[in-house]
Amino acid sequence: MSTIRDVAKLAKVSVATVSRVINESGYVNVKTKQKVEEVIEELDYRPNDVARSLFKGKSKMIALFVPDIMNPFFPELARAVEDITNKHGYTFILCNTDNDNKKEMAYMNALLQKSIDGMILVSNTMTASQIKDTKVPIISLDRKTRSDLISVTVNNREGARQAVGYMKELGCKRIAHIAGPDSASSARSRMEGYLNEVQEEKWFSNSFIRAGNYSIDEAYKVTKTLLKDNPNIDGIFVANDLMAVGVLKAAASLKIKVPDELSVISFDGIKLGETTSPALTTMAQPIYHIGKRAAEILLEKIEKPGTVIQSEEHQVQLIIRESTREKRLKE
Amino acid sequence: MSTIRDVAKLAKVSVATVSRVINESGYVNVKTKQKVEEVIEELDYRPNDVARSLFKGKSKMIALFVPDIMNPFFPELARAVEDITNKHGYTFILCNTDNDNKKEMAYMNALLQKSIDGMILVSNTMTASQIKDTKVPIISLDRKTRSDLISVTVNNREGARQAVGYMKELGCKRIAHIAGPDSASSARSRMEGYLNEVQEEKWFSNSFIRAGNYSIDEAYKVTKTLLKDNPNIDGIFVANDLMAVGVLKAAASLKIKVPDELSVISFDGIKLGETTSPALTTMAQPIYHIGKRAAEILLEKIEKPGTVIQSEEHQVQLIIRESTREKRLKE
DNA sequence: TAGTGTTATGTAACCCGTTACATAAACGCG
DNA sequence: CGCGTTTATGTAACGGGTTACATAACACTA
């Protein structure tokens, strides 16, 4: 690999001049510039980014923290962030945290030592004190952490309320909820929205709520006991699509017909929900869009440190597919 | 951020001594070491990895190139590679190439400028000449590129043969094939395996083969015309699970019952195949395992440049679910 | 013509670790 | 006691860029 000094020598100029040519900064005579560019071509010279980073204290790298890229919600987010940051010349680092605060902190420290320029977190566990002395821009995505990070989220509470409201419109009389992990703000908000809609109903009972952890298997288990304990349930609002797959399986194993005997509505709008049978009715998030926005905001913070930036809350949208019963005009 | 010189000054030693303490190299007196460690603690000193990288010419970063992380085959691969490399102290970079050779080369050049230590490619398009002068270790994963890269793959031809063989055992008499993109070596091998099994059959016709591109939508389209043109087809071997979802949809839209009227078998063994209805019978790859092996081999090449390393071909395994008909002892 | 501004280029310090090499004290042994 | 070895520590070059500052030629203006 040739260096800037090799180029300078061959072009019979100083390294400063070569640097000016590369960066199109300062004054360089047209003929000199041409000569330097010829030599760069000849030597196939590429500036060493590490040396640049060292001097500038910036690396042109950003990181995305997700619990687990194997959870189908995250690839779309990751893709969005990678698309945007790549377009701006940044390198994209992916970190799987398993919701483990130790892992998160280990990644964070390692990345700071590499002069990372910014991070986007999908995290529950990060606390304010853990990031308060970090001067690197950080954005929270999908969830709100216990800190004052700028966040890009969706309107979980209202979305949940609408989902449950829709089931009520359909004529469901006993609507249960498979909740997400209490540690996730998104899960708590969705539960709130559910409670908003059902708490005042005479039929409502706390035993209609079961805790899941956003995974298929756990949802399968808790739904089975839920439905055994409460055979009269005719609707379930599931905190995410992935768990809804478990719910569908549980219903099938109990020979409960969806949607005829049981309506299922969930949240997220991942592709997977189109392929189940019945296909999932769901409150869809603009997943790619929020990932994109988080990346855009992060880059804004990195490149124009002054500008004031606000958190964003995006809208969700009901997608009616097959897991909810048809609306009956008359009962 | 404090530097090694700050530490040296406060501990009243030279930077070389501090460096020795950090790296546990060379001779350092026990008391000196203690003193230095105290100062490091006090200043919360963390060595700057960029400076290290510059001197060493290594970055402790590796990259994985995939066509698109949103394709459900790749997250598991990515997770495996990230798990292994992270455990060894490497930072994991993800690149979505969209099978675009231009994008691949752009990523590659950018990463080389960052002193990347190694790369794992899931690529069709990379040619030998494009990587021949790269001194950085590169492994090909899932596919074989047109080059002499070491690769970690599965036995696609034989797996396909077995899949088709299994359908014949089930009594299928006319087996079609939805193929993957001809540019992918995996797709070509699977087609070969299919041909091996069916070419000699009297019923075989070239019109039984339709080209897909490993995506749901395209598979849906071509399957529809396939089944309309050839109503007597009673089995389809689909080159990957994702396309099988499209096949299932096409069959459903034509009111063809799977598996009663049509058996469907595919390839990959992604989680998605468990959630469709009917669940997919498939030739499962050890996805996480091959990702893990690719990462392990890469690290071996990075850390012990001398050792000779061989390509690996792993075995696939038939997983019988619901999309293939029951075996009948007698017809 | 002195003074100011613009253009052009070079020198060397700087970013922050690592390590080759130099120096020197302490130790072991014949 | 003298010499080789082990232990301990420091100095300074190095990796490969960037940029503040110095210098100088030249144009233009008062």
Side-chain angles (χ1 to χ4, degrees), chain A residues 90-204:
Chain A
Y90 286 75
T91 296
F92 174 77
I93 292 167
L94 180 71
C95 306
N96 292 293
T97 65
D98 293 319
N99 282 314
D100 175 349
N101 190 246
K102 277 217 194 80
K103 259 185 120 175
E104 287 177 333
M105 290 313 292
Y107 274 121
M108 199 163 239
N109 287 324
L111 293 173
L112 290 173
Q113 291 192 34
K114 286 189 147 47
S115 300
I116 191 95
D117 290 347
M119 306 185 226
I120 298 176
L121 309 181
V122 179
S123 167
N124 312 318
T125 59
M126 210 67 87
T127 63
S129 70
Q130 288 181 314
I131 48 173
K132 72 162 187 305
D133 44 355
T134 308
K135 290 148 304 292
V136 170
I138 303 179
I139 304 279
S140 179
L141 176 56
D142 179 58
R143 309 178 188 186
K144 290 174 178 156
T145 53
R146 276 170 286 155
S147 66
D148 52 357
L149 283 184
I150 288 172
S151 63
V152 177
T153 54
V154 296
N155 194 336
N156 287 295
R157 217 192 89 285
E158 176 59 17
R161 223 192 43 61
Q162 282 175 25
V164 177
Y166 176 71
M167 287 190 127
K168 280 162 70 176
E169 276 178 50
L170 293 180
C172 292
K173 296 278 186 263
R174 281 182 172 67
I175 304 172
H177 179 44
I178 308 296
D182 196 55
S183 51
S185 70
S186 57
R188 291 195 301 276
S189 299
R190 290 170 199 177
M191 164 107 77
E192 269 174 50
Y194 164 76
L195 287 172
N196 262 216
E197 277 290 315
V198 302
Q199 213 151 25
E200 304 299 309
E201 305 285 343
K202 334 93 217 137
W203 50 257
F204 175 70

Side-chain angles (χ1 to χ4, degrees), chain A residues 1 10 35 63 87 105 159 165 211 245 293 308 316 328:
Chain A
M1 266 284 168
L10 210 70
K35 176 69 187 160
K87 203 190 300 172
M105 290 313 292
V245 173
R293 285 300 302 149
V308 187
V316 292
R328 287 163 226 178

Side-chain angles (χ1 to χ4, degrees), chain A residues 59-331:
Chain A
S59 61
K60 282 263 170 182
M61 301 192 298
I62 72 97
L64 173 67
F65 287 51
V66 296
D68 181 5
I69 192 69
M70 284 168 70
N71 177 321
F73 179 73
F74 297 115
E76 191 166 347
L77 229 41
R79 175 75 209 223
V81 173
E82 205 261 326
D83 279 353
I84 304 307
T85 53
N86 178 47
K87 203 190 300 172
H88 289 250
Y90 286 75
T91 296
F92 174 77
I93 292 167
L94 180 71
C95 306
N96 292 293
T97 65
D98 293 319
N99 282 314
D100 175 349
N101 190 246
K102 277 217 194 80
K103 259 185 120 175
E104 287 177 333
M105 290 313 292
Y107 274 121
M108 199 163 239
N109 287 324
L111 293 173
L112 290 173
Q113 291 192 34
K114 286 189 147 47
S115 300
I116 191 95
D117 290 347
M119 306 185 226
I120 298 176
L121 309 181
V122 179
S123 167
N124 312 318
T125 59
M126 210 67 87
T127 63
S129 70
Q130 288 181 314
I131 48 173
K132 72 162 187 305
D133 44 355
T134 308
K135 290 148 304 292
V136 170
I138 303 179
I139 304 279
S140 179
L141 176 56
D142 179 58
R143 309 178 188 186
K144 290 174 178 156
T145 53
R146 276 170 286 155
S147 66
D148 52 357
L149 283 184
I150 288 172
S151 63
V152 177
T153 54
V154 296
N155 194 336
N156 287 295
R157 217 192 89 285
E158 176 59 17
R161 223 192 43 61
Q162 282 175 25
V164 177
Y166 176 71
M167 287 190 127
K168 280 162 70 176
E169 276 178 50
L170 293 180
C172 292
K173 296 278 186 263
R174 281 182 172 67
I175 304 172
H177 179 44
I178 308 296
D182 196 55
S183 51
S185 70
S186 57
R188 291 195 301 276
S189 299
R190 290 170 199 177
M191 164 107 77
E192 269 174 50
Y194 164 76
L195 287 172
N196 262 216
E197 277 290 315
V198 302
Q199 213 151 25
E200 304 299 309
E201 305 285 343
K202 334 93 217 137
W203 50 257
F204 175 70
S205 145
N206 273 319
S207 69
F208 280 19
I209 301 178
R210 298 294 158 105
N213 59 359
Y214 276 166
S215 84
I216 296 183
D217 295 344
E218 186 68 12
Y220 174 79
K221 265 190 251 169
V222 301
T223 304
K224 252 182 137 166
T225 66
L226 169 75
L227 292 174
K228 274 187 201 150
D229 297 351
N230 306 276
N232 53 354
I233 282 173
D234 58 0
I236 303 184
F237 167 56
V238 191
N240 75 347
D241 288 344
L242 203 55
M243 290 199 295
V245 173
V247 169
L248 253 31
K249 285 193 175 182
S253 83
L254 295 171
K255 308 255 187 277
I256 296 173
K257 292 203 189 77
V258 178
D260 301 340
E261 298 165 295
L262 177 72
S263 283
V264 174
I265 196 166
S266 53
F267 207 107
D268 275 357
I270 61 177
K271 273 258 183 279
L272 177 62
E274 300 172 20
T275 65
T276 55
S277 176
L280 292 172
T281 292
T282 190
M283 230 357 128
Q285 304 192 40
I287 305 180
Y288 189 92
H289 186 68
I290 60 173
K292 180 167 180 267
R293 285 300 302 149
E296 287 170 350
I297 289 178
L298 183 68
L299 293 178
E300 183 91 9
K301 273 192 96 172
I302 290 171
E303 291 174 359
K304 299 178 202 148
T307 50
V308 187
I309 287 165
Q310 306 265 321
S311 288
E312 292 184 4
E313 191 168 80
H314 293 260
Q315 296 308 307
V316 292
Q317 191 189 4
L318 180 64
I319 296 183
I320 299 168
R321 289 198 281 246
E322 308 160 353
S323 64
T324 41
R325 56 153 119 166
E326 299 284 313
K327 195 175 282 193
R328 287 163 226 178
L329 294 180
K330 294 243 165 69
E331 280 284 320

